[in-house]
Amino acid sequence: MSAHTQEKVQSNALALLPLLVFLIIFLGSGIYHSIIGTEFAFYQIKAPIAAIPAIILALLLYKQKLNTAIEEFLQGASHPNLILMFMVFMLAGAFASVSGAIGSVDATVQLGLSLISAQFVLPMLFIIAAFIATAMGTSMGTIAACAPIAFGFSQATDITPLYAIGAVVGGAMFGDNLSMISDTTIAATRSQNVELRDKFKVNVWIALPAAIITLIVYFSLSHQSEAIQTKPYDIWLILPYLTVFFLAFTRLHVLAVLMIGVVLSGIMGLLNKPDFHLLQLNDSIYNGFVGMFEVALLSMLLGGLSALMQKAGGLQWLIQRIYAITRLFKFGTQRAGEFGISFLVIFSNLFVANNTVAIILSGDMAREVAKEYGIDPKRSAALLDIFSCVTQGIIPYGAQLLLACSIAKISPIELIGHIYYCWVLAIFAILAIVFHYPRLKTS
């Protein structure tokens, strides 16, 4: 969003209330059922249902006519980024379902176990996800490709699924944060008027040490893993996953990569599995769609909700309050400004659940803060990208966690504490602000 557009929106704190209602219903129910010992506590109230009261409240709070509010909601729910996300959810579900039905996941896991020791599984998952995300520039596509394999490894070994899926999500966020073709990188650099490579030079000195510490943690976690006896596998069934992995390193669109994966999985199943026929392929694809419907619907509902809150001035109010707080620090350290920039993107991300949109929303204000406090634009761009990455990687209603948890059938609330990279990255980013690291050369 441009500065001109932001100025037209009158700030309104009350506009933030609907998302708070959603969080109270969704998280509150999960916490309550956890306390009383209910199994699958966070699945007792479905997230899309919890979103409905919040949407109704947002429509009622909108100052214009109800029909106008509904139109704004629909525009937000049908944003191109959300449509892309919806398609990724659907195709990822179909690919996971078909490849699972034909035994492709099991074969890939057995190949992996025959090549590496069980104690290296978690570091390997993190590294592979990091490389793929860096090449693709998208964490969503990376999670769609890697999460089924990670879940398969957890079932074949004594590794907890939360650790395996957490490694994939962490690696995906690392690669997405550093990738030169990531939309978050492009948004951050454009909003601060800096070159991609300049932002990378700052970003890498913070992200890479965090990744190394994360790898050390994963080595220590899987050090006691027992050796697993591998089983025979059909090498042809691995072809769909190998194809998806290799295509991920090309510039081919993520939807094309996943579609090729679905088609190739179907062909391999029809050729190599005598009991797998066209009707089973049809059922597998449809079951994959059904399995992803809840998270895809939630993403669109929250997209419409965030659009209403943004149009009603909720996000503008939030950004202005944070900006005002930074201006109180007239003893005037750069650290105050850098923390202000970080909080701008963190809170924007919490309310829109999309790291790219959060950067766009807070980018203009962040640039003003950077000028006022004498912060190098390279640092402000890096901080925007880093803290949007951190936030997006740990919010339970974000697309990344919803996708990963749908594939692995686990709760996003449970997963939050196991995405070690995002937490470690947050610590390193805070230290970078406190100690003004890395030191940039003045031109």
Side-chain angles (χ1 to χ4, degrees), residues 160-189:
T160 305
L162 291 170
Y163 290 146
I165 298 299
V168 166
V169 174
M173 299 312 293
F174 169 81
D176 190 16
N177 179 216
L178 285 182
S179 175
M180 290 291 189
I181 59 173
S182 168
D183 49 0
T184 59
T185 296
I186 294 169
T189 53

Side-chain angles (χ1 to χ4, degrees), residues 90-126:
M90 293 294 106
L91 289 177
F95 179 53
S97 179
V98 176
S99 58
I102 68 172
S104 182
V105 174
D106 292 336
T108 306
V109 169
Q110 293 304 319
L111 172 64
L113 291 175
S114 68
L115 296 175
I116 63 169
S117 170
Q119 71 184 60
F120 298 119
V121 166
L122 289 177
M124 179 206 68
L125 288 172
F126 180 84

Side-chain angles (χ1 to χ4, degrees), residues 209-261:
I212 293 171
I213 296 297
T214 304
L215 284 172
I216 293 172
V217 171
Y218 283 133
F219 274 114
S220 66
L221 284 173
S222 54
H223 182 69
Q224 303 298 328
S225 298
E226 299 178 4
I228 303 297
Q229 185 67 38
T230 58
K231 301 174 184 178
Y233 56 88
D234 186 345
I235 191 69
W236 287 106
L237 294 179
I238 300 171
L239 185 60
Y241 270 106
L242 289 179
T243 302
V244 168
F245 284 151
F246 281 117
L247 288 177
F249 288 93
T250 69
R251 292 295 178 89
L252 194 61
H253 197 285
V254 60
L255 294 184
V257 172
L258 290 173
M259 181 63 78
I260 291 171

Side-chain angles (χ1 to χ4, degrees), residues 103-419:
S104 182
V105 174
D106 292 336
T108 306
V109 169
Q110 293 304 319
L111 172 64
L113 291 175
S114 68
L115 296 175
I116 63 169
S117 170
Q119 71 184 60
F120 298 119
V121 166
L122 289 177
M124 179 206 68
L125 288 172
F126 180 84
I127 291 171
I128 288 176
F131 272 113
I132 291 178
T134 303
M136 291 181 75
T138 168
S139 52
M140 288 291 290
T142 302
I143 293 169
C146 297
I149 296 299
F151 186 56
F153 271 114
S154 70
Q155 292 183 308
T157 65
D158 59 350
I159 295 172
T160 305
L162 291 170
Y163 290 146
I165 298 299
V168 166
V169 174
M173 299 312 293
F174 169 81
D176 190 16
N177 179 216
L178 285 182
S179 175
M180 290 291 189
I181 59 173
S182 168
D183 49 0
T184 59
T185 296
I186 294 169
T189 53
R190 284 182 178 175
S191 70
Q192 304 305 296
N193 296 324
V194 297
E195 296 293 328
L196 291 170
R197 62 179 180 273
D198 292 330
K199 173 260 182 187
F200 179 85
K201 289 175 183 177
V202 177
N203 208 153
V204 71
W205 285 104
I206 302 171
L208 190 58
I212 293 171
I213 296 297
T214 304
L215 284 172
I216 293 172
V217 171
Y218 283 133
F219 274 114
S220 66
L221 284 173
S222 54
H223 182 69
Q224 303 298 328
S225 298
E226 299 178 4
I228 303 297
Q229 185 67 38
T230 58
K231 301 174 184 178
Y233 56 88
D234 186 345
I235 191 69
W236 287 106
L237 294 179
I238 300 171
L239 185 60
Y241 270 106
L242 289 179
T243 302
V244 168
F245 284 151
F246 281 117
L247 288 177
F249 288 93
T250 69
R251 292 295 178 89
L252 194 61
H253 197 285
V254 60
L255 294 184
V257 172
L258 290 173
M259 181 63 78
I260 291 171
V262 173
V263 172
L264 197 54
S265 293
I267 292 172
M268 289 297 104
L270 294 172
L271 293 178
N272 289 275
K273 308 286 285 187
D275 56 343
F276 190 82
H277 46 76
L278 282 174
L279 284 179
Q280 283 187 310
L281 174 60
N282 169 79
D283 290 342
S284 295
I285 293 174
Y286 186 73
N287 289 337
F289 290 162
V290 171
M292 288 292 173
F293 177 73
E294 180 181 337
V295 295
L297 176 61
L298 177 62
S299 295
M300 299 189 77
L301 292 176
L302 291 181
L305 179 63
S306 68
L308 281 174
M309 292 191 300
Q310 179 184 328
K311 290 286 185 180
L315 292 173
Q316 183 70 0
W317 178 88
L318 185 66
I319 291 173
Q320 286 176 355
R321 296 290 80 73
I322 297 172
Y323 180 61
I325 291 172
T326 64
R327 292 176 63 88
L328 294 176
F329 292 91
K330 284 306 180 184
F331 54 87
T333 65
Q334 287 188 16
R335 295 180 182 87
E338 290 182 355
F339 276 117
I341 290 171
S342 304
F343 282 119
L344 283 172
V345 75
I346 287 171
F347 281 99
S348 296
N349 211 144
L350 287 173
F351 282 93
V352 299
N354 184 300
N355 45 350
T356 306
V357 174
I359 292 171
I360 293 171
L361 286 172
S362 55
D364 290 345
M365 197 71 75
R367 190 170 63 250
E368 290 182 29
V369 173
K371 288 180 181 177
E372 184 166 340
Y373 286 86
I375 300 167
D376 192 305
K378 305 182 193 71
R379 285 183 67 85
S380 60
L383 290 173
L384 282 173
D385 204 348
I386 287 171
F387 280 101
S388 70
C389 163
V390 168
T391 309
Q392 189 68 22
I394 59 176
I395 52 175
Y397 49 92
Q400 285 78 1
L401 264 67
L402 291 174
L403 175 59
C405 291
S406 293
I407 292 173
K409 309 302 179 188
I410 56 180
S411 166
I413 304 296
E414 294 175 317
L415 182 60
I416 290 173
H418 294 82
I419 306 175

